[in-house]
Amino acid sequence: VAFAAILAAAALTFPRNKDGIRQTRWLITRPTYPELERSVKVTWESWFPEDVYGPFYGSEPFYQRWQFGDVDAVFEFHAFADDSEKVLRRLKSTEYTGAWANEVQYSPLQLLTTLGERTGRYPKVQDMPDGFEPRQFLVMDMNAPPTDDHWSLYMQGLVPIPDDMDPEEASQYVRPDNWVFLNQPPALADMRPGLR
């Protein structure tokens, strides 16, 4: 839920283009459209109702466009289930300001890396004032990984990369310098003395 607020805040505070407009395009993704519709879309609409922020268009892909004051922001909801050549090719033809990937414990690392590479590409640098520097912007959330050999565990150093793994494969699990992992404490924790 907090990630919806992060994207909204970024859209509302993004630098203005040469026409004085904060023009952005955001990607919100989950593996399937039913998952997007049942969870992410429901949360999004409760935070950003249509009567205040503008119509939510419900055909796949879903999207909402905010146009008020100096803001012109489009939020696109796409489902990407795998890192097949077809999916990656489709992604590589897109340009976003930033993205939010929901429940990435089910997403392959190559898909997420490609998502990140498609951010920082909108708006065009030539449409922005001098000195503007685009940057990649991808936030991801996840629950506990389903397996002990999950890419996130390798990248955080919580599980050692197997010695017999091919060096080229192992190199993809080195955490990039611009990636940060944040761990949220559990929702319920017994705080009685001696039971921590």
Side-chain angles (χ1 to χ4, degrees):
V1 174
F3 295 97
I6 291 171
L7 258 60
L12 296 172
T13 59
F14 196 80
R16 296 177 182 89
N17 63 20
K18 290 177 181 176
D19 294 329
I21 303 299
R22 300 179 194 274
Q23 192 165 29
T24 55
R25 184 185 303 133
W26 306 89
L27 171 65
I28 299 160
T29 184
R30 199 166 170 174
T32 70
Y33 280 106
E35 290 171 337
L36 273 172
E37 191 161 20
R38 284 193 310 264
S39 60
V40 179
K41 181 176 180 277
V42 171
T43 299
W44 187 270
E45 290 181 304
S46 71
W47 279 46
F48 310 111
E50 294 183 82
D51 59 339
V52 176
Y53 290 89
F56 195 104
Y57 298 92
S59 60
E60 300 172 5
F62 318 126
Y63 76 95
Q64 185 177 42
R65 184 173 186 179
W66 296 359
Q67 288 183 292
F68 49 80
D70 61 1
V71 174
D72 186 353
V74 174
F75 299 89
E76 297 180 5
F77 296 71
H78 288 271
F80 297 109
D82 57 47
D83 59 354
S84 65
E85 185 178 335
K86 179 180 177 182
V87 168
L88 296 181
R89 192 178 325 117
R90 187 172 129 217
L91 261 177
K92 288 179 180 179
S93 67
T94 61
E95 297 180 338
Y96 294 100
T97 309
W100 164 29
N102 181 236
E103 301 288 354
V104 300
Q105 71 268 22
Y106 304 116
S107 299
L109 180 58
Q110 179 61 46
L111 172 66
L112 300 171
T113 301
T114 303
L115 283 175
E117 291 169 354
R118 304 319 300 166
T119 68
R121 296 174 176 267
Y122 185 89
K124 299 288 187 198
V125 174
Q126 59 263 32
D127 295 333
M128 300 299 289
D130 293 342
F132 172 78
E133 293 185 22
R135 65 185 183 99
Q136 291 183 333
F137 182 100
L138 171 63
V139 293
M140 302 179 277
D141 67 81
M142 66 183 296
N143 289 309
T147 63
D148 290 338
D149 62 350
H150 194 266
W151 58 264
S152 67
L153 300 176
Y154 289 148
M155 293 181 86
Q156 293 178 79
L158 298 174
V159 171
I161 295 174
D163 292 334
D164 60 349
M165 184 180 285
D166 178 84
E168 186 175 334
E169 182 184 356
S171 68
Q172 71 180 321
Y173 299 121
V174 175
R175 183 181 59 83
D177 291 339
N178 62 347
W179 281 44
V180 176
F181 285 91
L182 304 172
N183 293 313
Q184 180 176 326
L188 298 174
D190 196 328
M191 301 301 288
R192 290 176 289 174
L195 295 177
R196 288 184 108 175

Coordinates of all heavy atoms in Angstrom, one line a residue, residues 106-165:
Y106 N 7.4 -13.8 -6.8 CA 7.0 -14.7 -7.9 C 7.5 -14.3 -9.2 O 7.2 -14.9 -10.2 CB 5.4 -14.7 -7.9 CG 4.8 -15.1 -6.7 CD1 3.9 -14.3 -6.0 CD2 5.0 -16.4 -6.1 CE1 3.4 -14.6 -4.8 CE2 4.5 -16.8 -4.9 CZ 3.6 -15.9 -4.2 OH 3.0 -16.3 -3.0
S107 N 8.4 -13.2 -9.2 CA 8.9 -12.7 -10.5 C 10.3 -13.1 -10.7 O 11.1 -13.0 -9.8 CB 8.7 -11.2 -10.5 OG 7.4 -10.8 -10.4
P108 N 10.7 -13.4 -11.9 CA 12.1 -13.7 -12.2 C 12.9 -12.5 -12.2 O 12.5 -11.4 -12.6 CB 12.1 -14.4 -13.6 CG 10.8 -14.0 -14.2 CD 9.8 -13.7 -13.1
L109 N 14.2 -12.6 -11.8 CA 15.1 -11.5 -11.7 C 15.3 -10.7 -13.1 O 15.3 -9.5 -13.1 CB 16.4 -11.9 -11.2 CG 17.5 -10.8 -11.0 CD1 17.0 -9.7 -10.1 CD2 18.8 -11.5 -10.5
Q110 N 15.4 -11.5 -14.2 CA 15.6 -10.9 -15.5 C 14.4 -9.9 -15.8 O 14.6 -8.9 -16.4 CB 15.7 -11.9 -16.6 CG 15.9 -11.4 -18.0 CD 17.2 -10.5 -18.1 OE1 18.2 -10.9 -17.6 NE2 17.0 -9.3 -18.7
L111 N 13.2 -10.3 -15.5 CA 12.0 -9.5 -15.7 C 12.2 -8.2 -14.9 O 12.0 -7.1 -15.5 CB 10.7 -10.2 -15.3 CG 9.5 -9.3 -15.4 CD1 9.1 -8.9 -16.8 CD2 8.3 -10.1 -14.7
L112 N 12.5 -8.2 -13.7 CA 12.6 -7.1 -12.8 C 13.8 -6.2 -13.3 O 13.7 -4.9 -13.3 CB 12.8 -7.5 -11.4 CG 11.6 -8.3 -10.8 CD1 12.0 -8.9 -9.5 CD2 10.4 -7.5 -10.8
T113 N 14.9 -6.7 -13.7 CA 16.0 -6.0 -14.2 C 15.6 -5.2 -15.4 O 15.9 -4.0 -15.6 CB 17.2 -6.9 -14.5 OG1 17.6 -7.6 -13.3 CG2 18.4 -6.1 -15.0
T114 N 14.8 -5.8 -16.3 CA 14.4 -5.2 -17.5 C 13.3 -4.1 -17.2 O 13.4 -3.0 -17.8 CB 13.7 -6.2 -18.5 OG1 14.7 -7.2 -18.8 CG2 13.3 -5.5 -19.8
L115 N 12.5 -4.3 -16.2 CA 11.5 -3.3 -15.8 C 12.3 -2.0 -15.3 O 12.0 -0.9 -15.7 CB 10.7 -3.8 -14.6 CG 9.5 -4.7 -14.9 CD1 8.9 -5.2 -13.5 CD2 8.5 -4.0 -15.7
G116 N 13.3 -2.2 -14.5 CA 14.1 -1.1 -14.1 C 14.8 -0.4 -15.2 O 14.9 0.9 -15.2
E117 N 15.2 -1.1 -16.2 CA 15.9 -0.4 -17.4 C 15.0 0.4 -18.2 O 15.4 1.3 -18.9 CB 16.5 -1.5 -18.2 CG 17.7 -2.2 -17.6 CD 18.2 -3.5 -18.4 OE1 17.5 -3.9 -19.4 OE2 19.2 -4.1 -18.0
R118 N 13.7 0.2 -18.1 CA 12.7 0.9 -18.9 C 12.2 2.2 -18.1 O 11.4 3.0 -18.6 CB 11.4 0.1 -19.2 CG 11.7 -1.2 -19.9 CD 12.8 -1.1 -21.0 NE 12.4 -0.2 -22.0 CZ 13.3 0.3 -22.9 NH1 14.5 0.0 -22.9 NH2 12.9 1.2 -23.8
T119 N 12.7 2.4 -16.9 CA 12.4 3.6 -16.2 C 13.5 4.7 -16.4 O 14.5 4.4 -16.9 CB 12.3 3.3 -14.7 OG1 13.6 3.0 -14.1 CG2 11.3 2.2 -14.4
G120 N 13.1 5.9 -16.1 CA 14.0 7.1 -16.3 C 14.1 7.5 -17.8 O 14.9 8.2 -18.2
R121 N 13.1 7.0 -18.6 CA 13.1 7.2 -20.0 C 12.0 8.2 -20.4 O 11.8 8.5 -21.6 CB 12.9 5.9 -20.8 CG 14.1 5.0 -20.6 CD 13.9 3.6 -21.2 NE 15.1 2.8 -21.1 CZ 16.0 2.7 -22.0 NH1 15.9 3.4 -23.1 NH2 17.1 1.9 -21.8
Y122 N 11.2 8.6 -19.5 CA 10.0 9.5 -19.8 C 9.9 10.5 -18.7 O 10.0 10.1 -17.5 CB 8.7 8.7 -19.9 CG 7.6 9.6 -20.4 CD1 7.3 9.8 -21.7 CD2 6.8 10.2 -19.5 CE1 6.2 10.6 -22.1 CE2 5.7 11.0 -19.9 CZ 5.5 11.2 -21.2 OH 4.4 12.0 -21.6
P123 N 9.8 11.8 -18.9 CA 9.8 12.4 -20.3 C 11.2 12.5 -20.9 O 12.2 12.2 -20.3 CB 9.3 13.8 -19.9 CG 9.7 14.1 -18.5 CD 9.7 12.7 -17.8
K124 N 11.2 12.9 -22.2 CA 12.4 13.0 -22.9 C 13.3 14.1 -22.3 O 12.7 15.2 -21.9 CB 12.2 13.3 -24.4 CG 11.4 12.2 -25.1 CD 12.2 11.0 -25.3 CE 11.5 10.0 -26.2 NZ 12.1 8.7 -26.1
V125 N 14.6 13.9 -22.3 CA 15.5 15.0 -21.7 C 15.3 16.3 -22.4 O 15.3 17.4 -21.8 CB 16.9 14.5 -21.8 CG1 17.9 15.6 -21.3 CG2 17.1 13.2 -20.9
Q126 N 15.1 16.2 -23.8 CA 15.0 17.5 -24.5 C 13.7 18.3 -24.2 O 13.7 19.5 -24.5 CB 15.1 17.2 -26.0 CG 14.0 16.3 -26.6 CD 14.5 14.9 -26.7 OE1 15.3 14.4 -25.9 NE2 13.9 14.2 -27.7
D127 N 12.8 17.7 -23.5 CA 11.5 18.4 -23.1 C 11.7 19.0 -21.8 O 10.8 19.7 -21.3 CB 10.3 17.4 -23.1 CG 10.0 16.9 -24.5 OD1 10.3 17.6 -25.5 OD2 9.5 15.8 -24.6
M128 N 12.8 18.7 -21.1 CA 13.0 19.2 -19.7 C 14.0 20.4 -19.7 O 14.8 20.5 -20.6 CB 13.5 18.1 -18.9 CG 12.6 16.9 -18.8 SD 11.0 17.2 -18.1 CE 11.5 17.5 -16.3
P129 N 13.9 21.2 -18.7 CA 14.9 22.3 -18.6 C 16.3 21.8 -18.5 O 16.6 20.7 -18.1 CB 14.5 23.0 -17.2 CG 13.1 22.6 -17.0 CD 13.0 21.2 -17.6
D130 N 17.3 22.7 -18.8 CA 18.7 22.4 -18.8 C 19.0 21.9 -17.4 O 18.5 22.4 -16.4 CB 19.5 23.6 -19.1 CG 19.4 24.0 -20.6 OD1 18.9 23.1 -21.4 OD2 19.7 25.1 -20.9
G131 N 19.9 20.9 -17.3 CA 20.3 20.4 -16.0 C 19.5 19.2 -15.5 O 19.9 18.6 -14.5
F132 N 18.4 18.9 -16.2 CA 17.6 17.7 -15.8 C 18.4 16.5 -16.0 O 18.9 16.3 -17.1 CB 16.3 17.7 -16.5 CG 15.5 16.5 -16.3 CD1 14.8 16.3 -15.1 CD2 15.5 15.4 -17.2 CE1 14.1 15.1 -14.9 CE2 14.7 14.3 -17.0 CZ 14.0 14.1 -15.8
E133 N 18.5 15.6 -15.1 CA 19.1 14.3 -15.2 C 18.1 13.2 -14.9 O 17.7 13.0 -13.7 CB 20.3 14.2 -14.3 CG 21.5 15.1 -14.7 CD 22.7 14.9 -13.9 OE1 22.9 13.8 -13.3 OE2 23.5 15.9 -13.8
P134 N 17.7 12.4 -15.9 CA 16.8 11.3 -15.6 C 17.5 10.2 -14.7 O 18.7 10.1 -14.7 CB 16.5 10.7 -17.0 CG 17.6 11.1 -17.8 CD 18.2 12.4 -17.3
R135 N 16.7 9.5 -13.9 CA 17.2 8.4 -13.1 C 16.2 7.3 -13.1 O 15.0 7.5 -13.2 CB 17.5 8.9 -11.7 CG 16.3 9.3 -10.9 CD 16.7 9.9 -9.6 NE 15.6 10.2 -8.7 CZ 15.1 9.4 -7.8 NH1 15.6 8.3 -7.5 NH2 14.0 9.8 -7.1
Q136 N 16.8 6.1 -13.0 CA 15.9 4.9 -12.9 C 15.2 4.9 -11.6 O 15.7 5.3 -10.5 CB 16.7 3.7 -13.1 CG 17.3 3.5 -14.5 CD 18.0 2.2 -14.7 OE1 18.6 1.7 -13.8 NE2 18.0 1.8 -16.0
F137 N 13.9 4.4 -11.6 CA 13.1 4.5 -10.4 C 12.2 3.2 -10.4 O 11.2 3.2 -11.1 CB 12.3 5.8 -10.4 CG 11.4 6.0 -9.2 CD1 11.7 6.8 -8.2 CD2 10.1 5.3 -9.1 CE1 10.9 7.0 -7.1 CE2 9.3 5.5 -8.0 CZ 9.7 6.4 -7.0
L138 N 12.6 2.2 -9.6 CA 11.8 1.0 -9.5 C 11.7 0.6 -8.0 O 12.7 0.5 -7.4 CB 12.4 -0.1 -10.3 CG 11.8 -1.5 -10.1 CD1 10.3 -1.6 -10.6 CD2 12.6 -2.6 -10.8
V139 N 10.5 0.5 -7.5 CA 10.3 0.0 -6.2 C 9.6 -1.3 -6.3 O 8.7 -1.5 -7.2 CB 9.5 1.0 -5.3 CG1 10.3 2.3 -5.0 CG2 8.1 1.4 -5.9
M140 N 10.0 -2.2 -5.4 CA 9.4 -3.6 -5.4 C 9.0 -4.0 -4.0 O 9.6 -3.5 -3.1 CB 10.4 -4.6 -6.0 CG 10.9 -4.2 -7.3 SD 12.2 -5.4 -7.9 CE 13.7 -4.8 -7.1
D141 N 8.0 -4.8 -3.9 CA 7.6 -5.3 -2.6 C 7.5 -6.8 -2.7 O 7.2 -7.3 -3.8 CB 6.4 -4.7 -2.0 CG 5.1 -5.0 -2.8 OD1 4.5 -6.1 -2.6 OD2 4.7 -4.1 -3.6
M142 N 7.7 -7.5 -1.6 CA 7.5 -8.9 -1.7 C 7.3 -9.5 -0.3 O 7.7 -8.8 0.7 CB 8.8 -9.6 -2.3 CG 10.0 -9.4 -1.4 SD 11.5 -10.1 -2.2 CE 11.2 -11.8 -2.2
N143 N 6.7 -10.7 -0.2 CA 6.7 -11.4 1.0 C 7.8 -12.4 1.0 O 8.7 -12.3 0.1 CB 5.3 -12.2 1.1 CG 4.2 -11.2 1.4 OD1 4.3 -10.4 2.3 ND2 3.1 -11.3 0.6
A144 N 7.9 -13.3 2.0 CA 9.0 -14.2 2.1 C 9.1 -15.0 0.8 O 8.1 -15.5 0.2 CB 8.8 -15.2 3.3
P145 N 10.3 -15.2 0.3 CA 10.5 -16.0 -1.0 C 10.0 -17.4 -0.8 O 10.1 -18.0 0.3 CB 12.0 -16.0 -1.3 CG 12.6 -15.1 -0.3 CD 11.6 -14.7 0.8
P146 N 9.5 -18.0 -1.9 CA 8.9 -19.4 -1.8 C 10.0 -20.5 -1.7 O 9.6 -21.6 -1.3 CB 8.1 -19.5 -3.1 CG 8.7 -18.5 -4.0 CD 9.3 -17.4 -3.2
T147 N 11.2 -20.2 -2.1 CA 12.3 -21.2 -2.0 C 13.5 -20.6 -1.4 O 13.7 -19.4 -1.3 CB 12.6 -21.7 -3.4 OG1 13.1 -20.6 -4.2 CG2 11.4 -22.3 -4.2
D148 N 14.4 -21.5 -1.0 CA 15.7 -21.1 -0.4 C 16.7 -20.7 -1.4 O 17.8 -20.2 -1.0 CB 16.3 -22.2 0.5 CG 15.4 -22.5 1.8 OD1 14.7 -21.5 2.2 OD2 15.5 -23.6 2.3
D149 N 16.5 -20.9 -2.7 CA 17.4 -20.5 -3.7 C 16.9 -19.3 -4.5 O 17.2 -19.1 -5.6 CB 17.8 -21.6 -4.6 CG 16.6 -22.2 -5.4 OD1 15.4 -21.8 -5.1 OD2 16.8 -23.0 -6.3
H150 N 16.1 -18.5 -3.8 CA 15.5 -17.3 -4.5 C 16.5 -16.2 -4.8 O 17.4 -16.0 -3.9 CB 14.4 -16.7 -3.6 CG 13.5 -15.8 -4.3 ND1 13.7 -14.4 -4.3 CD2 12.3 -16.0 -5.1 CE1 12.7 -13.8 -4.9 NE2 11.9 -14.7 -5.4
W151 N 16.4 -15.5 -5.9 CA 17.4 -14.5 -6.2 C 17.5 -13.4 -5.1 O 18.6 -12.9 -4.9 CB 17.0 -13.8 -7.6 CG 15.6 -13.2 -7.6 CD1 14.5 -13.7 -8.1 CD2 15.3 -11.9 -7.1 NE1 13.4 -12.9 -7.9 CE2 13.9 -11.7 -7.3 CE3 16.0 -10.8 -6.5 CZ2 13.2 -10.5 -7.0 CZ3 15.3 -9.7 -6.2 CH2 13.9 -9.5 -6.4
S152 N 16.5 -13.1 -4.4 CA 16.6 -12.0 -3.4 C 17.4 -12.4 -2.2 O 18.1 -11.6 -1.6 CB 15.2 -11.6 -2.9 OG 14.6 -12.7 -2.2
L153 N 17.4 -13.7 -1.9 CA 18.2 -14.2 -0.8 C 19.7 -14.2 -1.2 O 20.6 -13.8 -0.4 CB 17.8 -15.6 -0.4 CG 16.4 -15.8 0.1 CD1 16.0 -17.2 0.3 CD2 16.1 -14.9 1.3
Y154 N 20.0 -14.6 -2.4 CA 21.4 -14.5 -2.9 C 21.9 -13.0 -2.9 O 23.0 -12.7 -2.5 CB 21.5 -15.0 -4.4 CG 21.3 -16.5 -4.5 CD1 20.8 -17.1 -5.7 CD2 21.8 -17.4 -3.5 CE1 20.6 -18.4 -5.8 CE2 21.6 -18.8 -3.7 CZ 21.1 -19.3 -4.8 OH 20.9 -20.6 -5.0
M155 N 21.0 -12.1 -3.4 CA 21.5 -10.7 -3.6 C 21.7 -10.0 -2.2 O 22.5 -9.1 -2.1 CB 20.5 -10.0 -4.5 CG 20.5 -10.4 -5.9 SD 19.3 -9.5 -6.9 CE 20.4 -8.1 -7.4
Q156 N 20.9 -10.5 -1.2 CA 21.1 -9.9 0.1 C 22.2 -10.6 0.9 O 22.5 -10.1 2.0 CB 19.8 -10.0 0.9 CG 18.6 -9.2 0.3 CD 17.4 -9.4 1.1 OE1 17.2 -8.8 2.2 NE2 16.5 -10.2 0.6
G157 N 22.8 -11.6 0.4 CA 23.8 -12.4 1.1 C 23.2 -13.2 2.2 O 24.0 -13.7 3.1
L158 N 21.9 -13.5 2.2 CA 21.3 -14.3 3.2 C 21.5 -15.8 3.0 O 21.4 -16.6 3.9 CB 19.8 -14.0 3.3 CG 19.5 -12.6 3.7 CD1 18.0 -12.3 3.7 CD2 20.0 -12.3 5.1
V159 N 21.8 -16.2 1.7 CA 22.0 -17.5 1.3 C 23.3 -17.5 0.4 O 23.3 -16.7 -0.5 CB 20.8 -18.2 0.6 CG1 21.2 -19.5 0.0 CG2 19.6 -18.3 1.5
P160 N 24.3 -18.3 0.7 CA 25.5 -18.3 -0.2 C 25.1 -18.8 -1.6 O 24.3 -19.7 -1.8 CB 26.4 -19.2 0.5 CG 25.6 -20.1 1.4 CD 24.4 -19.3 1.8
I161 N 25.8 -18.2 -2.6 CA 25.7 -18.7 -3.9 C 26.4 -20.0 -4.0 O 27.6 -20.1 -3.6 CB 26.2 -17.7 -4.9 CG1 25.4 -16.4 -4.9 CG2 26.3 -18.2 -6.3 CD1 25.9 -15.2 -5.7
P162 N 25.8 -21.1 -4.5 CA 26.4 -22.4 -4.6 C 27.8 -22.3 -5.3 O 27.9 -21.7 -6.4 CB 25.4 -23.3 -5.3 CG 24.1 -22.6 -5.1 CD 24.4 -21.1 -5.1
D163 N 28.8 -23.0 -4.8 CA 30.1 -23.1 -5.4 C 30.1 -23.7 -6.8 O 30.9 -23.3 -7.7 CB 31.1 -23.9 -4.6 CG 31.3 -23.2 -3.2 OD1 31.2 -21.9 -3.2 OD2 31.7 -23.9 -2.3
D164 N 29.1 -24.6 -7.1 CA 29.1 -25.2 -8.4 C 28.2 -24.5 -9.4 O 28.0 -24.9 -10.5 CB 28.6 -26.7 -8.3 CG 27.2 -26.8 -7.7 OD1 26.7 -25.7 -7.2 OD2 26.6 -27.9 -7.7
M165 N 27.7 -23.3 -9.0 CA 26.9 -22.5 -10.0 C 27.8 -21.9 -11.1 O 28.9 -21.4 -10.8 CB 26.1 -21.4 -9.3 CG 25.2 -20.6 -10.2 SD 24.3 -19.3 -9.4 CE 23.1 -20.2 -8.5

